[in-house]
Amino acid sequence: MEILGLVSGGLPLDNGDEALYSLALIWGELTDRVELRPAETDQAETHMVTAAREWLTVEGDREAGARYLDRRLHEILGFERPVLPQT
């Protein structure tokens, strides 16, 4: 909850750190699972612990952080990847 608070209300999302938006999506989804789908609480809490530990290993490394966010958002949580316009 502390991480979600930092990324969703405690820090501005337009401060140049594009990771904040993705982190807010990740933590929002995981806390929603606990609150809205109680049957998934154990699984969501396991994801939270793993996600937090993994973030600590990549924080500060832009490339590793981008891979982490991509994998968490799209492969693990199932968010659709944005479709980039064709040029």
Side-chain angles (χ1 to χ4, degrees), residues 33-77:
R33 286 185 184 187
V34 171
E35 293 175 7
L36 303 174
R37 297 182 284 205
E40 296 181 25
T41 296
D42 290 342
Q43 181 185 27
E45 288 175 351
T46 299
H47 277 296
M48 288 177 186
V49 170
T50 302
R53 285 182 179 149
E54 287 178 1
W55 178 251
L56 292 174
T57 67
V58 301
E59 186 179 22
D61 180 334
R62 274 200 176 298
E63 290 180 23
R67 286 190 304 272
Y68 164 90
L69 294 170
D70 183 74
R71 187 172 66 79
R72 282 263 152 218
L73 281 172
H74 307 295
E75 295 174 22
I76 295 173
L77 295 176

Side-chain angles (χ1 to χ4, degrees), residues 4 10 12 14-15 23 25-26 28-31 35 38 41 43 48 61 68 71 76 78 81-82 85:
L4 178 60
D14 62 352
N15 73 349
L23 287 170
L25 286 175
I26 291 167
E29 173 65 19
L30 292 172
T31 55
E35 293 175 7
T41 296
Q43 181 185 27
M48 288 177 186
D61 180 334
Y68 164 90
R71 187 172 66 79
I76 295 173
R81 284 186 170 82

